[in-house]
Amino acid sequence: MATLGPNQGDAVRIGVYICHCGINIAGKVDVADVTQFAASLPGVVVARDYKFMCSDPGQELIQQDIREHGLNRIVVASCSPLMHEATFRRAAAEGGINPFFFQMANIREHVSWVTADKAAATEKSRALVAAAVSRVGGHEALERQRVAVKPDVLVVGGGIAGIHAALTLADSGKTVYLVEREPTIGGHMAKFDKTFPTLDCAACILTPKMSLVRQHPNITLWTYAEVADVSGYVGNFSVTVRRKPRYVIEDRCVGCNACVEACVFKEGKFADEFNYGLAKRKPVYMPFPQATPSVVLIDPATCLHFKTGKCKQACKAACERDAIDFDQRDELVEIEVGAIVVATGFQPFDAERVPEYGYGQYPGVYTSLEVERLVNASGPTGGEITLRDGRVPKAVGIIHCVGSRDHATNKYCSRVCCMYSLKLAHLVKERTGAEIYNFYIDMRTPGKGYEEFYDKLLEEGVHFIRGRAAEVTDWTMTPDEEGKLVIRAEDTLIGAVRRIPVDMVVLSVGLEAQADAGEVRRLFNISCSHEGWFLERHPKLAPVSTFTDGVFLAGACQGPKDIPDTVAQAGAAAAEAMALIDKGYVELEPNTAFIDEERCSGCKTCIAMCPYSAISFIADARVARVNEALCKGCGTCVAACPSAAAQQHLFTDDQIFDEIAGVLSYV
Amino acid sequence: MSDGTFQPRIVAFFCNWCTYTAADLAGISRMSYAANVRVVRLMCSGRLDPQFVVAALRQGADGVLIGGCHPGDCHYQVGNHKALRRFTLLKRLLGQLGIEDERVRLEWIAASEGDKVQRVINEMVAQVRALGPLGLTAIPRPHGEAAAVPPCCAE
C-alpha cells in the first residue's frame, strides 16, 4: 500500500508530538495523558509533549528524533493544519524524511478552544491523535510539482486600494492590468473634499496618483470594464475582461469636452452619478473634471441617437479627432496573470432603509456622501453648502450609525463614520457657521491623531448628544421649530428626550459590501462573511491572502476601513503578489487524483465527474488517465469510481478508512 | 463525561475550504460545543465515498455528519452537488437498514459560519443521544479495554 522513501526501512516508526501551545491546549487537554496514550499506539516509537511545537526548538525536537530514533512518520497534535501543516512538513523534510510522511491532529481549534470539559477535551484529543497515527503509517512519499508563475498581475477595482496596489506593483517592474468598472478610477475617495484627521484635500493627494496610473508604462488601465471570467490557479490565471462600449475611442479622445458642449441637450438633464444626482449631466459627459482617463463617454440610456435614432449627432460633428463611434460593442480581452489583487471596495448603506430618518421624504435630509459633494469645491454647488431650496443651513444635525451597530440593518461598526462625521461637522461649521449637533452612540476615534481631532471639535463648539436618534420629523410643537426638521433623540447623558430643530440632517451612512459581492466572490473563488465582506485567510496572520492561493485582498472589500488602513493593506497585497511572482514558481499540493490502470475497467464514470476535464479515456489501453496539471485535487472522481481504481494522493481510500478506524478506536 | 449519560460517537467529514475552516473559526471564536464529534478532513465533500459513512457506522459511530460548501460556493465548482446526490441515495439505503434519519446528516456550512458548526453539532449530538446507541458493532464502550479495530472496509 504505502511506498516508503529511500532512506526508510520497511517498518513504520512514528514520532508523536503533543503541543501545549502555551496554555491554549495544555489548559484544557491533559497533554501528559495524551502523550502517554500516543506512546501506547502501534508503530509509535517516540511520543513527547512540548510547550510550542512550532517554535525552532520544537521543530528541532522532531529532527533530532528522526536522526536518533530513525523515525519515518511524524504526527503533530497542535493547531489546525491550515495554520501550521506547512511548518511541520518543512521540519520533517529538513529532518531528512519525505514531508508527506506527516499528519496533523487539530487539538486546538477543534478541541481545546471549543470544549468546556477537561476530561472530554482529553478524550477527544486522544481520538484525533489515534486517527492521525492510524493514517500516517499508510502515507506515501510524494513530490510537489513545480509550475512557473506568470509574471503579470491583475488588480480589480480602481479606488485608492487598487490604485495604490497597482502603482506599487508597477514601480517594482511588474506589468499590471487595472480593471475598473466605472468610467474613471478614483473610487469613493475621489468624491471626498477633505480627509480626516489631517484635513488635507482628497483630490490633492489622490489625483496625482490617478494620473500616475494613467502614465505608468507598466500599467494597462481598463476603465468601464469588468472581469467576466477567471480560470486557472495560483501563478497561472486566465482572465477574460469585458470592456463595455463607451462609444468613444479612448485613444483618440483628448478630453476637450467639445462634444459635451455641442450635444443637442443644451443643459444637463440627467442625474449625475458622480454627484449622487445633486447635479445634472448630458448623455455625453465627463464623469468629473479630473476623471482618469480623461475620456468622455456616452450613456445609451439617455442619448437621443440610441433612444430614437434621429439625433443629428452634433457631438460627432464637433469632435475634431473623430473619436465618437456609435458602433462600439462589448470587447472581450484575454490576459494571463500570476496573481490577482481584488480591491472592489464597498457601497454606502442605502439610507432609505431607515425610514424614520426621512431620507427621500424630506429634502433637508442628506447622506454623508451627498454632503461630501456639497462641501467639495468641484462639487455641484462649487463648495457652497446650500440646501435644495437654496438656503444656507443655520443648524445641522449629524446622525451617526445609520446602517451600522443596528440589529435591524448591520450589526457591525463601519469604523469610519465617527471620524468622517467629525470632519463634516468641522467643514460645515467652518463654511456656514451653523450650529452642529452630532447624535452618537459611542464616539469611536482610535487611530493616529483621531482622538485629538475629536478634542479639537469639542473645542470648536460642536454639540455632541449621546443617544441614537429616534426619528426625523417635520411635525413641529413650538414656534421655533416651525419650518425646521426636528430630530428626536434621547440624550442618555442627561437622561431626557430632546427635540433639536435643524435645517439640514446628515445621515452618516455605514459601509456595506457591494451588492454583487456574491458574484465577484464566485468569480475569484473566494469566501465571504455573512455580511458579504471577502474573507481573509487568517484574521491576524494572513489578512490580505484568501483561501485561493494567488488571490489577494485590498481595501474595504475585505471589511470597512479608512484610507490609511486601505493604503497599508493595498501595499501589503502588492507585496504578497510580488513575493509570489518573484519566486518564479509555485509548488502545487500533490493531492491530485490518479488511476490504477490495473484496476480500471474503463467505465468512464470518473470522466463525467471532473469539473476540470482533467480525465481522459485512453482508447488503446481502455483506461482512464488523469492529467495531473489540470487536476485540482477535489477527489470527486475518486468517490465515484466503482472499482477503487481512482485514488487521491494524501486522501486515498485506505488512508481515510484508517483515519475513521482511528477516531473510533476509543480507549 | 463520566456522569453516565450516553455519549454518542459522531464522525464528521468536513470539506477543507468551507466547513473545516468554519470549525476552525468556531475555535478561534471560542464557541463551546459538544465534544462528541471527531472531524475527518477531506478536500471536498465530493470526495465523500458513501462507504466512508458506512464504515464509520459499522465501526461504532452513532452518527455521521457531512459538511460542505453552500451550493454554488464549492471550491471545486460542483463537488457539493455530487455529495448531495450520493447522500440522497445513501439515505434511502440506510433507511432500509433501519438507521434513523437523524443519524446521518448533511449540512452546508460556509467558512464564515462558525456559529453554524456549533449549532449543528450541538443539535445533532442531542438528537443522536435521544436515539441512543446505534449498536452496529461490538466494540466495548466506554473506556474499557483497548477496542479491537475491525478490519476496514477496503480489501
Side-chain angles (χ1 to χ4, degrees):
Chain A
M1 176 173 64
T3 341
L4 289 174
N7 56 342
Q8 273 90 45
D10 285 325
V12 163
R13 297 178 64 81
I14 306 170
V16 182
Y17 301 85
I18 316 293
C19 181
H20 298 196
C21 195
I23 58 160
N24 282 304
I25 293 170
K28 198 60 96 176
V29 174
D30 184 343
V31 286
D33 173 83
V34 178
T35 309
Q36 212 180 359
F37 163 74
S40 72
L41 293 169
V44 174
V45 177
V46 193
R48 298 181 195 279
D49 60 295
Y50 187 70
K51 216 152 195 59
F52 291 103
M53 280 311 299
C54 59
S55 67
D56 270 0
Q59 296 183 47
E60 178 52 35
L61 201 59
I62 297 174
Q63 289 160 10
Q64 201 180 326
D65 283 346
I66 292 173
R67 288 190 296 271
E68 285 177 13
H69 298 277
L71 302 181
N72 53 26
R73 296 290 190 284
I74 304 298
V75 168
V76 176
S78 56
C79 49
S80 169
L82 303 182
M83 181 94 188
H84 271 312
E85 187 173 58
T87 311
F88 294 120
R89 280 182 178 168
R90 206 160 43 235
E94 281 168 15
I97 63 171
N98 187 281
F100 299 96
F101 284 157
F102 167 76
Q103 180 68 18
M104 211 158 165
N106 183 348
I107 61 167
R108 191 179 75 171
E109 281 84 344
H110 288 196
V111 182
S112 66
W113 279 352
V114 293
T115 310
D117 180 69
K118 208 169 166 173
T122 304
E123 191 192 356
K124 185 172 175 184
S125 301
R126 284 171 160 224
L128 294 181
V129 167
V133 167
S134 168
R135 150 199 246 282
V136 79
H139 278 206
E140 338 142 88
L142 296 169
E143 295 284 328
R144 281 198 184 88
Q145 199 191 346
R146 273 195 184 189
V147 181
V149 165
K150 300 258 165 45
D152 302 346
V153 185
L154 167 69
V155 178
V156 189
I160 181 60
I163 289 173
H164 188 76
L167 285 173
T168 308
L169 286 158
D171 283 345
S172 81
K174 306 283 173 288
T175 296
V176 179
Y177 298 94
L178 177 58
V179 175
E180 164 60 50
R181 79 164 147 206
E182 298 297 329
T184 171
I185 56 170
H188 284 99
M189 187 177 171
K191 297 176 181 176
F192 303 160
D193 181 42
K194 299 276 199 294
T195 54
F196 61 76
T198 46
L199 295 177
D200 38 3
C201 113
C204 313
I205 54 179
L206 179 65
T207 50
K209 285 179 89 96
M210 289 164 63
S211 54
L212 266 179
V213 166
R214 178 71 166 151
Q215 293 154 10
H216 208 296
N218 294 343
I219 298 179
T220 303
L221 172 62
W222 287 322
T223 57
Y224 217 45
E226 293 186 47
V227 174
D229 187 48
V230 180
S231 61
Y233 54 93
V234 53
N236 293 273
F237 295 106
S238 300
V239 180
T240 308
V241 177
R242 181 187 301 115
R243 301 190 67 192
K244 296 175 277 189
R246 60 202 301 156
Y247 305 107
V248 172
I249 300 164
E250 222 177 294
D251 300 337
R252 293 195 193 162
C253 177
V254 288
C256 69
N257 284 331
C259 52
V260 181
E261 298 289 320
C263 177
V264 294
F265 286 96
K266 289 300 156 218
E267 297 291 333
K269 197 180 163 203
F270 309 100
D272 166 10
E273 295 86 352
F274 191 79
N275 286 306
Y276 298 103
L278 294 171
K280 302 278 188 241
R281 61 158 174 81
K282 296 180 180 182
V284 54
Y285 66 105
M286 181 75 79
F288 70 108
Q290 295 81 28
T292 304
S294 181
V295 172
V296 296
L297 73 155
I298 294 171
D299 169 23
T302 51
C303 172
L304 271 189
H305 168 76
F306 287 100
K307 288 181 71 181
T308 65
K310 287 183 190 152
C311 183
K312 63 177 181 171
Q313 302 185 357
C315 55
K316 195 174 169 70
C319 183
E320 288 177 2
R321 300 173 60 90
D322 198 19
I324 300 217
D325 172 11
F326 288 111
D327 298 324
Q328 266 186 1
R329 295 279 175 273
D330 268 2
E331 184 193 348
L332 295 177
V333 197
E334 309 269 338
I335 52 172
E336 304 274 322
V337 295
I340 297 172
V341 176
V342 177
T344 50
F346 66 94
Q347 67 179 27
F349 175 78
D350 174 8
E352 288 194 28
R353 281 168 57 197
V354 189
E356 57 269 32
Y357 292 156
Y359 181 75
Q361 180 186 359
Y362 305 123
V365 181
Y366 293 78
T367 68
S368 48
L369 278 162
E370 290 169 340
V371 178
E372 290 281 359
R373 294 311 299 149
L374 287 182
V375 296
N376 194 307
S378 63
T381 55
E384 298 285 322
I385 300 166
T386 50
L387 297 165
R388 289 189 169 93
D389 59 13
R391 284 183 300 138
V392 175
K394 294 195 179 67
V396 177
I398 302 179
I399 300 178
H400 292 218
C401 298
V402 179
S404 305
R405 303 186 67 196
D406 176 2
H407 281 248
T409 55
N410 295 310
K411 287 186 196 170
Y412 56 84
C413 166
S414 290
R415 282 189 60 188
V416 296
C417 321
C418 278
M419 283 305 295
Y420 80 58
S421 299
L422 292 176
K423 173 191 73 180
L424 290 175
H426 169 85
L427 293 175
V428 173
K429 191 169 178 67
E430 183 185 64
R431 309 265 170 95
T432 63
E435 289 296 327
I436 314 280
Y437 301 89
N438 275 277
F439 297 82
Y440 68 100
I441 307 175
D442 297 291
M443 283 305 298
R444 296 195 164 173
T445 57
K448 206 173 179 181
Y450 290 9
E451 185 69 11
E452 293 88 330
F453 190 73
Y454 176 33
D455 286 343
K456 180 171 125 93
L457 266 283
L458 287 168
E459 283 166 22
E460 284 177 8
V462 170
H463 307 285
F464 289 89
I465 296 171
R466 201 188 82 177
R468 184 188 276 279
E471 66 167 347
V472 174
T473 177
D474 62 354
W475 186 57
T476 54
M477 291 174 75
T478 58
D480 60 328
E481 290 178 358
E482 231 28 77
K484 304 253 186 187
L485 289 169
V486 178
I487 301 175
R488 281 201 326 128
E490 183 188 1
D491 185 332
T492 57
L493 292 179
I494 61 169
V497 173
R498 295 178 67 179
R499 294 174 60 88
I500 308 288
V502 296
D503 304 301
M504 180 185 211
V505 175
V506 182
L507 302 181
S508 294
V509 289
L511 278 55
E512 282 195 330
Q514 296 272 17
D516 61 350
E519 290 141 52
V520 173
R521 171 172 80 81
R522 289 195 180 104
L523 199 54
F524 295 102
N525 207 357
I526 56 182
S527 304
C528 70
S529 67
H530 54 264
E531 298 98 352
W533 305 113
F534 297 147
L535 210 61
E536 63 283 358
R537 193 173 191 119
H538 190 277
K540 292 164 188 84
L541 300 180
V544 299
S545 305
T546 65
F547 287 103
T548 298
D549 287 338
V551 178
F552 304 99
L553 301 175
C557 63
Q558 181 259 346
K561 53 180 68 63
D562 58 17
I563 295 168
D565 284 2
T566 295
V567 172
Q569 206 193 20
E576 299 266 1
M578 250 182 259
L580 166 67
I581 283 169
D582 285 351
K583 190 175 173 193
Y585 64 87
V586 283
E587 285 186 327
L588 302 182
E589 181 78 359
N591 58 11
T592 47
F594 61 99
I595 287 167
D596 179 348
E597 295 185 2
E598 293 282 300
R599 286 187 149 197
C600 177
S601 65
C603 72
K604 303 183 191 172
T605 304
C606 54
I607 294 174
M609 288 292 123
C610 182
Y612 307 103
S613 307
I615 314 178
S616 46
F617 185 68
I618 310 300
D620 302 347
R622 299 200 53 77
V623 291
R625 199 168 288 165
V626 177
N627 179 343
E628 282 197 24
L630 296 177
C631 174
K632 295 197 181 184
C634 61
T636 304
C637 59
V638 184
C641 179
S643 10
Q647 287 299 329
Q648 182 185 11
H649 290 301
L650 289 172
F651 295 90
T652 63
D653 284 347
D654 287 341
Q655 286 164 3
I656 295 167
F657 283 127
D658 285 348
E659 194 172 345
I660 295 168
V663 285
L664 288 167
S665 63
Y666 283 47
V667 284
Chain B
M1 278 198 156
S2 50
D3 59 356
T5 49
F6 164 57
Q7 293 298 344
R9 302 166 177 182
I10 295 171
V11 177
F13 297 96
F14 284 174
C15 83
N16 181 66
W17 303 99
C18 289
T19 314
Y20 193 89
T21 311
D24 277 5
L25 177 65
I28 292 165
S29 318
R30 311 298 199 276
M31 293 172 174
S32 190
Y33 56 80
N36 306 58
V37 174
R38 285 91 168 96
V39 178
V40 173
R41 182 170 67 112
L42 303 174
M43 291 312 288
C44 179
S45 55
R47 173 68 183 92
L48 186 90
D49 188 323
Q51 289 189 78
F52 299 163
V53 178
V54 176
L57 296 174
R58 225 178 72 178
Q59 292 175 55
D62 301 298
V64 172
L65 171 62
I66 303 149
C69 306
H70 285 269
D73 286 1
C74 177
H75 194 81
Y76 305 101
Q77 299 178 12
V78 290
N80 51 358
H81 293 206
K82 307 282 191 268
L84 176 60
R85 288 193 199 173
R86 290 172 191 147
F87 175 79
T88 310
L89 275 173
L90 177 67
K91 287 282 278 192
R92 291 180 68 170
L93 176 76
L94 294 177
Q96 287 165 11
L97 295 173
I99 293 172
E100 298 88 340
D101 200 46
E102 294 88 341
R103 291 194 189 270
V104 180
R105 180 165 172 172
L106 171 67
E107 285 287 344
W108 309 131
I109 305 179
S112 59
E113 295 179 319
D115 52 341
K116 192 170 177 186
V117 170
Q118 179 189 40
R119 179 172 60 76
V120 165
I121 288 183
N122 281 339
E123 244 174 51
M124 188 165 173
V125 169
Q127 285 171 347
V128 176
R129 179 174 290 138
L131 288 173
L134 178 60
L136 285 192
T137 174
I139 297 178
R141 74 175 72 207
H143 320 302
E145 292 280 317
V149 178
C152 62
C153 301
E155 65 254 71

